[in-house]
Amino acid sequence: MSFKQKKTLTQKIKWWVNTRIVGFWRVKVSGYVKQKMAPAPDTVKFNRDASPMPAPSNDGITVILTAYKRSEYLEQQIEALRAQTVPPTEIWVWSNRSDDELRDMSKLADRVVASNSNFLFWGRFALANLVRTKYVAFFDDDILPQPRWFENCLATIASGHDGILGGSGVLLPIEGGYSSKHKAGWNGNHYNSPVQVDLVGHAWFMNKAHVQYMWREEPVSWDNGEDIHLSYMALKYGGIKTIVPPHPENDQSLWSCRPDFGKIVGRLNVATYKTKDHKNTRSEIVNSHTKDGWQVVKKHSDYSLPKEKNFTE
């Protein structure tokens, strides 16, 4: 057992002088002088300040968009989101650093985060931990949601298909590795019913509580595969399935993306899938998760797809 040593009167006076008088000059006055002598720092100015963060809610949707090299399409995305039959509570923009100048989107979005680093696709999912609404949605910058997409997602959850919902789903091959040959969603097979897949991309919709699973383990790669990582982590730690809501051929108002927009913008040279070793890296991620115990959907004994299939790309 240790006992507090009593200070003498001299020690008490010395302590007071050092922490009050000497400390004042050393810390406050010195800091003030350095501040005045230092060159003026560069400043970041926004056209509009965001309102204070709201209290947590048991309802509502927060959308997180990413600005990188295709920010010229953000205005169209935001207009499409505001026009949803179930409009979002707030729209946030995460701006990654690129060769282009960062554009100030504060007039269009409710909140803007400007980064001097390129955090690729991970930044938006990290930001999602700060969301105060019940649901959170993400969109790649080449996706233009149709007016009933959020309505579709909420109806899918209400019908008993809660999970990581997305607009472009992939059914991985049984033999291993990554392949997007079998897809469901706006750019794949169009089903009239929800369909379980291994992973989704392009657009995500989920209960904010599901975001936590993404950070349970370090990703296999920080360069690619956030969609694979999210779906596997949610399944592994939460038993959360990945699902594509209905994309009926005769009602594109429910779709996650207007197909002409997605096809044209998605084929620009800045698209991630055009980067070197894209598929190889994704195969390595899938194989790593398979070794860890991940069973792809096609291996499940009860695997079956809805009978209603309208179209395949």
Side-chain angles (χ1 to χ4, degrees), residues 189-195 303-311:
N189 291 318
H190 303 157
Y191 294 98
N192 294 332
S193 304
V195 57
Y303 163 68
S304 64
L305 289 171
K307 293 181 181 179
E308 326 92 337
K309 181 179 74 171
N310 302 118
F311 168 79

Side-chain angles (χ1 to χ4, degrees), residues 43-57:
T43 58
V44 176
K45 294 183 179 180
F46 292 103
N47 288 319
R48 185 175 68 88
D49 286 338
S51 59
M53 287 292 289
S57 170

Side-chain angles (χ1 to χ4, degrees), residues 150-162:
F150 287 160
E151 178 186 332
N152 188 7
C153 290
L154 291 171
T156 298
I157 293 173
S159 69
H161 296 90
D162 186 18

Side-chain angles (χ1 to χ4, degrees), residues 61 63 65 73-91 108 137 139-151 252-258 260-261:
I61 304 165
V63 174
L65 304 175
Y73 298 105
L74 274 173
E75 188 167 352
Q76 279 183 268
Q77 276 192 309
I78 291 173
E79 287 175 357
L81 290 165
R82 301 285 188 200
Q84 290 285 304
T85 54
V86 182
T89 307
E90 289 193 346
I91 297 174
L108 297 172
F139 294 89
D140 286 348
D141 54 8
D142 55 355
I143 296 300
L144 194 69
Q146 294 300 272
R148 297 175 63 200
W149 171 240
F150 287 160
E151 178 186 332
Q252 291 191 9
S253 70
L254 293 165
W255 285 25
S256 56
C257 182
R258 201 181 79 196
D260 62 328
F261 184 94

Side-chain angles (χ1 to χ4, degrees), residues 33-236:
V33 171
K34 287 180 180 178
Q35 181 185 10
K36 287 298 181 182
M37 293 180 64
D42 293 331
T43 58
V44 176
K45 294 183 179 180
F46 292 103
N47 288 319
R48 185 175 68 88
D49 286 338
S51 59
M53 287 292 289
S57 170
N58 291 323
D59 200 2
I61 304 165
T62 298
V63 174
I64 300 180
L65 304 175
T66 300
Y68 182 54
K69 289 188 175 181
R70 293 185 287 209
S71 61
E72 65 269 28
Y73 298 105
L74 274 173
E75 188 167 352
Q76 279 183 268
Q77 276 192 309
I78 291 173
E79 287 175 357
L81 290 165
R82 301 285 188 200
Q84 290 285 304
T85 54
V86 182
T89 307
E90 289 193 346
I91 297 174
W92 299 5
V93 173
W94 174 282
S95 291
N96 272 321
R97 189 71 179 102
S98 71
D99 297 334
D100 300 336
E101 288 297 320
L102 290 174
R103 295 181 61 204
D104 181 10
M105 304 301 297
S106 59
K107 284 185 177 179
L108 297 172
D110 297 288
R111 304 187 192 281
V112 176
V113 177
S115 170
N116 70 349
S117 299
N118 180 8
F119 286 97
L120 301 177
F121 6 75
W122 302 95
R124 56 187 174 182
F125 289 104
L127 184 62
N129 289 289
L130 300 178
V131 165
R132 306 295 170 85
T133 52
K134 182 175 182 179
Y135 299 102
V136 60
F138 309 85
F139 294 89
D140 286 348
D141 54 8
D142 55 355
I143 296 300
L144 194 69
Q146 294 300 272
R148 297 175 63 200
W149 171 240
F150 287 160
E151 178 186 332
N152 188 7
C153 290
L154 291 171
T156 298
I157 293 173
S159 69
H161 296 90
D162 186 18
I164 307 297
L165 274 55
S168 176
V170 174
L171 285 160
L172 294 170
I174 295 177
E175 59 269 20
Y178 177 81
S179 171
S180 59
K181 182 179 179 181
H182 296 129
K183 299 174 77 172
W186 77 268
N187 63 342
N189 291 318
H190 303 157
Y191 294 98
N192 294 332
S193 304
V195 57
Q196 184 183 353
V197 293
D198 292 301
L199 60 119
V200 289
H202 296 186
W204 294 260
F205 186 98
M206 69 194 77
N207 191 310
K208 186 233 175 173
H210 298 342
V211 175
Q212 62 167 310
Y213 298 114
M214 190 168 203
W215 309 109
R216 295 294 184 91
E217 294 182 14
E218 186 91 1
V220 176
S221 170
W222 285 103
D223 295 326
N224 203 323
E226 84 289 0
D227 48 354
I228 306 171
H229 181 75
L230 170 60
S231 286
Y232 178 51
M233 291 295 103
L235 185 64
K236 178 179 178 178

Side-chain angles (χ1 to χ4, degrees), residues 239-256:
I240 307 297
K241 296 178 181 179
T242 296
I243 297 163
V244 176
H247 279 70
E249 184 74 18
N250 61 355
D251 191 356
Q252 291 191 9
S253 70
L254 293 165
W255 285 25
S256 56

